[in-house]
Amino acid sequence: MRGWIVTAVLTVLAAVTRFTMLGYPTDAGTPVFDEKHYAPQGYQVLTGGGVEDNPAYGLVVHPPVGKQLIAVGEALFGYTGWGWRLSSAVFGVILVLLVARIVRRMTRSTLLGAIAGILMIVDGVTFVTSRVGMLDIFMVVFVVAAFGALVRDRDDVRERLHRVAVEGRMEMTTWGPRLGVRWWRFGGGLLLGLACGTKWSGIYFVAFFGLLSVAFDVAARRQYGVTRPWVGTAVRDVGPALYALVAIPLVVYLATYAGWFASETGVDRNAVGTDIGTGGPFSFVPAALRSLWYYSGNVLEFHAGLTNSAGNRHPWESKPWTWPMGLRPMLYYFADGQQITGCSTGGNCVKAVMLIGTPALWWVAFPMLGWALWSTVARRDWRYAAVLVGYGAGILPWFLTLDRQMYFFYAAALAPFLVMGVTLVLGDILGRGLRGGQGRERRTLGLLLVSLYVAVVIANFVWLWPILTGLPISQETWQQQLWLPSWR
């Protein structure tokens, strides 16, 4: 009960921060930055029969789930800042709840769950991402929810194996027992399908989480004394894992295009017979699926063509090696001049919204990753291993296409796993102080260090608040906010 009360308080705090001034700023009542793509498409979903026919780049370049969620807010508040940002804010609040509960489950500590929730609230990246009408927050929440489902599935598997061991049935086969229907893993597959139905980069998490689930199964069978745990996992678990974490996401992904399938005006909806022929070796495939394949190929070609070598450059683009510390943030909104007032100097103020990771949190990424790697290898700590898998899925695949135009908002998926990893490190500091034989002074020192660190992160977030929300500030304050040359 205490854990849920703490979670409820954190969720309320998250809602206060995410919903405060949610409709501000706009470009004279219109969307800002890449909202200009997704807010109109969401409104077209709402008013145009459930399909986006506002291509922006000549075709709609992302799957429909995010636009459909934006449309929900626009249905409630109209084509306004509140309308196209409402769903993002709701998902931003849900993200805080999920991270707090997942960390609590991983550590069995309400205190550490609360610390994770606080750090998630004051993370600048997910804060800003929760307050713009773009797609990233939706994919992040689906990915983190899927991660939580797999962690819960891990616990469920061990509970089932424990019952088998208590009943003395573990030795009935060298492969270990069948585990039956695993609804948590099935739910994880549904969520991964929704992640892919928001942005294609969700497929990276399908691959990484699939391997994580299998690794969980091998470790569980080994721990409970299965004679041949690897073979048992291959025979008992890999097939169902492919079904739950590959087939189910694929079905869900296709289902997200229901509006497109039912439409007559969707982009490339009637490609068969117009852009491509009706015959050929794949003529047995329904025309709707062939049209979707053709459309997806055009989308892939569009993304593949956004390369630096082809001349596609942006002043705020960044490469993945800069993401862990947020060395090259994104400027989403900027306005200055005599017409901007409200700051301490009266006139000639600045209003800016910058996607930037809270430095006190993001700048410890590499020490956290180093400790996580050591803990995984030397201590066999599955919690750090799981966090590394999630973090790796969010960054490693991007190193395969370095010529591609990239932006820091791609790193939004790193934030929850960064918070989880940092919280686990703080838990180690507390845990070492709480072990017997170290004395009261050691326990007090550990708690003091953790409290000071969390306080510094909160203070850092408060300092950045004006450039996370677009409040009017003086030119001098604006320059003070830009700590690094790469932030300019």
Side-chain angles (χ1 to χ4, degrees), residues 205-218:
F205 293 90
V206 171
F208 278 67
F209 286 0
L211 295 175
L212 177 65
S213 179
V214 172
F216 280 164
D217 292 342
V218 172

Side-chain angles (χ1 to χ4, degrees), residues 188-208:
L190 294 175
L191 291 161
L192 287 172
L194 292 172
C196 294
T198 304
K199 297 188 78 171
W200 279 1
S201 50
I203 197 171
Y204 302 148
F205 293 90
V206 171
F208 278 67

Side-chain angles (χ1 to χ4, degrees), residues 268-278 291 294:
D268 290 330
R269 173 60 184 85
N270 297 296
V272 175
T274 55
D275 298 292
I276 56 178
T278 57
S291 294
Y294 175 79

